[in-house]
Amino acid sequence: MSARPLNKQQTRECKAEQRSYLWGFLLALVLTLTPFALVALTEIERLTLWITIGVCALAQVVVHLRFFMHITLARNKREDLLLILFTVLILVILCGGTLWILFDLYQRMLPGMMP
């Protein structure tokens, strides 16, 4: 049994998908290296640094959803919307629970130093 050769349409689709993955990889690489470079090589204000890291993280999420998971904002993608909402719920639970635990431990260990 031999593999059938791809027709022109399939070849174009394959190249477009590869191009999409390459763009996604390059954008993810830039959005990852930018905060690292800012922290390691510059002396910018702390608040500006935190905001830049947060913006890069949010952009990174959008890049991953669009280029790697192929989630778009098309009307007929109800499952994708549910996937995004569930992911946000899990992230809120994880981050909120972590902050809750850390602040509780901080209060119990250093009660006189609460902000």
Side-chain angles (χ1 to χ4, degrees), residues 66-84:
R66 168 63 183 93
F67 290 102
F68 300 122
M69 296 179 70
H70 304 290
I71 295 176
T72 60
L73 297 176
R75 288 266 198 220
N76 57 355
K77 300 280 187 168
R78 186 178 183 120
E79 296 87 15
D80 291 346
L81 176 63
L82 292 175
L83 173 71
I84 292 170

Side-chain angles (χ1 to χ4, degrees), residues 27-28 31-32 53-71 84 87-88 91:
L27 286 171
L31 289 169
T32 300
I53 291 171
V55 167
C56 285
L58 289 175
Q60 182 88 268
V61 169
V62 171
V63 165
H64 281 266
L65 289 174
R66 168 63 183 93
F67 290 102
F68 300 122
M69 296 179 70
H70 304 290
I71 295 176
I84 292 170
T87 303
V88 168
L91 286 173

Side-chain angles (χ1 to χ4, degrees), residues 18-74:
Q18 287 176 344
R19 201 173 311 120
S20 172
Y21 281 122
L22 183 62
W23 272 107
F25 175 73
L26 291 175
L27 286 171
L29 190 63
V30 167
L31 289 169
T32 300
L33 293 178
T34 300
F36 279 106
L38 288 175
V39 169
L41 304 174
T42 64
E43 293 289 330
I44 61 175
E45 188 179 325
R46 200 172 193 152
L47 179 63
T48 307
L49 186 63
W50 280 105
I51 290 172
T52 305
I53 291 171
V55 167
C56 285
L58 289 175
Q60 182 88 268
V61 169
V62 171
V63 165
H64 281 266
L65 289 174
R66 168 63 183 93
F67 290 102
F68 300 122
M69 296 179 70
H70 304 290
I71 295 176
T72 60
L73 297 176

